[in-house]
Amino acid sequence: MSNKGISTLLACILAATLLGSPLARSAEFSASFKGTDIQEFINTVGKNLNKTIIVDPSVRGKINVRSYDLLNDEQYYQFFLSVLDVYGFSVVTMDNGVLKVLRSNTAKTSGIPVVDDAAPGSGDEMVTRVVPVRNVSVRELAPLLRQLNDNAGGGNVVHYEPSNVLLITGRAMVVNRLVDIVRRVDKVGDQDVDIVRLKYASAAEIVRLISALTKDDGKTSMSSLLAPKVVADDRTNSVVVSGDPKARQRVMQMIRQLDKDQQNDGNTKVYYLKYAKAKNLVEVLTGVSKSIQDKKQGSGQQAAAASKKLSIEADEQTNALVITAQPDEMQELEKVISRLDIRRAQVLVEAIIVEVANGNEAQLGVQWGNTNAGMVQFADSTTSPLPVSTFVDAMGSSDTSDDSKSALASVSGAALGFYHGDWFALLTALQTDSKSDVLATPSLSTMDNQEAEFNVGQEVPVLTGSQTSTDSSTVYSTVERKTVGTKLKFKPQINEGDSVLLEIEQEVSSVDSTSANSSLGSTFNLRTIKNTVLVKSGETVVLGGLLDEKTNEVVSKVPLLGDIPVLGELFKSTSTDKTKRNLMVFIRPVILRDPVTYSGISNAKYSMFRAEQLDRASKGLRLMPDELTTPVIPVYGSDSTVSPELQKEIEQYRAKQAEAAAAGRAAIQSQ
């Protein structure tokens, strides 16, 4: 083969190699389509770019486009996107590299890629971008961006206020332009800070005045970036100003004009207290003011001048504090007052006292007597010693003299007696059963750390001594009254959480009925508990208790005769007494932190008593059937001084007044 043939063969092989290589695939293209169906246009581009393209059935029409320049792969693809954009279509790139051609208004709901600064996209490809905004409200910025985006096509701007971000969807070229606009707008501006130290005025008061002067009344639309911001620093009595330089300068000029010394010595303010007592706070505030003056820096003359200007007085009639002090001292005192003048929690304490007692007593005895030799009288007998003649008359005579009556009246239980000649006998038997069930629930509410006392009972006179006059004609007695009944005394302290520390004194006392005729005076039954407990609010705990069971048996007999088997029972008197008593005391505190809880408990107690009265009223009065009504307390919360009929008339009058007022307002609005 000649040299010319070999050269031609090498050229063909080189051309074939170049056409099959990547360099050959990135060859330049020319585009010229006139009256071409859009489906054919998409197929041609797919072949040239070696791409798989899925076309939506709604993509139809003809295109006319011509390019006089040669385009590489990237330019040719952007040319393809631009042509589709002009005719209202968009391309969505899938994760597997497949392209979808859709209408632009539906493309934004497809799998459009989310881009960022590293790969923002270019040209007319559809992208979504999340743009954080740091200094401007996205709620105000989003409407402006929507006007610059193709909202009729695939563009969209959505704002998310919780994170203050924008979600922008559209052509990459348009989205990138919007992002650039956002970054230029999202700037804090010249927000330097100036600190103005005050000499005479109060920082908090100056900030209040400046805020009122610079407040937006709604008629102007000044940007928040241009509006100055003022904050009070109570620690140093300074005002911190930030914002635009001109705005800061204007505010600082106003502050200097307001920070002037007053004509009087110090500032005077009146504080009307809501919960605390003004008289109690004077001592606390005086101590606080002294500590403030001790910490002040400066010469001794300044400290002396400041002490002369300080004055704290209490007006008990209006429960107010009148304070004259320097601005910095006034601020510290204001803080102390605001923290002390708070609504204190209350504690409702219910003491539950339960006592169950059972008692059984039996007596059996025989008494003998002789008209000449006397009689046998046992100490535990149910009859008192009587003269023999009187006893015989009472047993066998029909005489109803006073002595006979007294003899019969002294017998308790069953008595059987006989007499024969000079001898007589009396058999007595008595059995007593007693039961008692006592339930007391004293309750009392008081403030936190405030002692409270509850007492329900009687004052019983107790003889403490006697003195005879010199002529022995008059006896003078001294009497002291002792309170008996149910007493409850406690002091609560509310701890963190729902626990209450209670210092409790609980007492239940009564007069012993068996000591009523004692020459030494009355005997009192007393049960007292004094302790400190920690209880959770709403829970019931036991304070103390007593389980007492006692059995007594007394046998009185005649010596020798009472020891004879069987017959000895005729010369005995036996008394057996058995007593069993159970006593328990419980406590239940409830913390009342707000008026709603307090009102709820009051309503429950009130309604319980009203229900008892209604139940009695429904049963009527047995001996007075004509009496149709009985006293019943009114419904909780209603006016107890107004009758139900008058209350109904008042409500009807108020309703008519409200209707007339509403009609008048409607007539004015219609005019």
Side-chain angles (χ1 to χ4, degrees), residues 474-488:
T474 306
V475 178
Y476 299 95
S477 300
T478 58
V479 178
E480 180 183 352
R481 293 190 175 272
K482 180 178 177 59
T483 303
V484 296
T486 302
K487 297 180 182 179
L488 175 62

Side-chain angles (χ1 to χ4, degrees), residues 142-413:
L144 302 177
L145 298 178
R146 292 191 187 102
Q147 299 179 15
L148 302 176
N149 201 358
D150 183 16
N151 299 320
N156 192 16
V157 178
V158 180
H159 65 277
Y160 183 62
E161 289 189 50
S163 300
N164 203 48
V165 297
L166 293 168
L167 283 74
I168 305 176
T169 300
R171 310 287 177 182
M173 178 176 57
V174 178
V175 172
N176 293 335
R177 182 168 63 91
L178 295 180
V179 172
D180 184 57
I181 294 174
V182 171
R183 288 176 177 172
R184 296 192 180 190
V185 174
D186 186 27
K187 291 185 178 179
V188 180
D190 191 0
Q191 292 287 335
D192 290 340
V193 176
D194 290 323
I195 299 176
V196 182
R197 290 184 176 272
L198 304 180
K199 296 181 180 179
Y200 308 102
S202 169
E205 188 67 18
I206 291 294
V207 168
R208 185 184 67 82
L209 294 174
I210 298 298
S211 300
L213 292 173
T214 59
K215 184 179 179 181
D216 187 6
D217 57 0
K219 298 180 181 180
T220 61
S221 57
M222 179 183 294
S223 173
S224 59
L225 297 176
L226 301 178
K229 297 181 179 62
V230 289
V231 179
D233 183 10
D234 295 332
R235 298 177 298 107
T236 60
N237 195 34
S238 303
V239 178
V240 182
V241 185
S242 66
D244 183 75
K246 294 184 178 179
R248 295 201 314 271
Q249 185 178 3
R250 184 174 66 255
V251 170
M252 288 189 293
Q253 184 177 0
M254 286 190 292
I255 293 175
R256 295 188 184 96
Q257 292 176 354
L258 293 173
D259 188 25
K260 301 293 184 181
D261 191 10
Q262 298 182 357
Q263 297 297 327
N264 58 347
D265 293 337
N267 300 323
T268 301
K269 289 186 178 181
V270 179
Y271 296 94
Y272 295 96
L273 304 180
K274 297 180 180 179
Y275 306 105
K277 288 186 177 181
K279 184 178 180 180
N280 298 338
L281 290 186
V282 171
E283 183 177 355
V284 177
L285 297 177
T286 302
V288 172
S289 62
K290 289 181 180 179
S291 63
I292 295 173
Q293 292 177 359
D294 294 339
K295 294 179 181 179
K296 271 190 173 182
Q297 297 179 355
S299 62
Q301 295 180 354
Q302 293 178 351
S307 61
K308 291 180 180 180
K309 297 180 181 180
L310 177 63
S311 174
I312 303 175
E313 300 293 338
D315 183 16
E316 297 186 20
Q317 294 183 351
T318 59
N319 195 35
L321 291 171
V322 182
I323 302 177
T324 301
Q326 292 299 314
D328 54 347
E329 295 178 355
M330 188 74 74
Q331 292 173 3
E332 295 294 333
L333 295 177
E334 285 179 356
K335 293 180 182 179
V336 176
I337 293 172
S338 63
R339 294 180 180 180
L340 294 178
D341 188 25
I342 60 174
R343 182 184 181 90
R344 296 167 58 189
Q346 302 182 67
V347 178
L348 171 66
V349 174
E350 294 178 324
I352 305 174
I353 306 167
V354 183
E355 181 178 8
V356 179
N358 296 326
N360 297 319
E361 182 181 0
Q363 294 181 1
L364 179 64
V366 179
Q367 303 179 56
W368 296 90
N370 185 276
T371 57
N372 297 321
M375 64 179 296
V376 177
Q377 175 72 34
F378 295 110
D380 60 346
S381 174
T382 57
T383 59
S384 58
L386 295 173
V388 175
S389 60
T390 303
F391 183 80
V392 171
D393 293 339
M395 295 297 297
S397 175
S398 60
D399 184 15
T400 57
S401 63
D402 293 339
D403 293 339
S404 300
K405 293 180 180 180
S406 61
L408 296 175
S410 63
V411 177
S412 298

Side-chain angles (χ1 to χ4, degrees), residues 3-44:
N3 293 333
K4 183 177 182 181
I6 294 173
S7 300
T8 304
L9 178 61
L10 291 174
C12 292
I13 294 172
L14 180 61
T17 304
L18 292 174
L19 290 174
S21 65
L23 181 61
R25 286 197 301 272
S26 61
E28 296 179 341
F29 303 94
S30 63
S32 180
F33 300 93
K34 183 177 182 181
T36 305
D37 186 76
I38 194 170
Q39 296 279 353
E40 183 179 351
F41 169 70
I42 295 173
N43 292 334
T44 302

Side-chain angles (χ1 to χ4, degrees), residues 566-620:
V566 181
L567 293 178
E569 299 297 331
L570 299 176
F571 301 95
K572 292 182 180 180
S573 176
T574 304
S575 174
T576 303
D577 181 11
K578 183 177 182 181
T579 304
K580 184 177 181 181
R581 181 176 59 183
N582 296 333
L583 173 64
M584 300 296 290
V585 179
F586 304 90
I587 199 76
R588 178 177 179 268
V590 178
I591 300 176
L592 310 176
R593 297 187 183 276
D594 52 79
V596 177
T597 306
Y598 195 92
S599 178
I601 293 178
S602 300
N603 188 5
K605 295 286 186 182
Y606 189 93
S607 300
M608 180 183 67
F609 285 102
R610 188 172 187 274
E612 291 286 341
Q613 290 185 327
L614 291 174
D615 181 63
R616 291 189 178 185
S618 63
K619 297 177 181 178

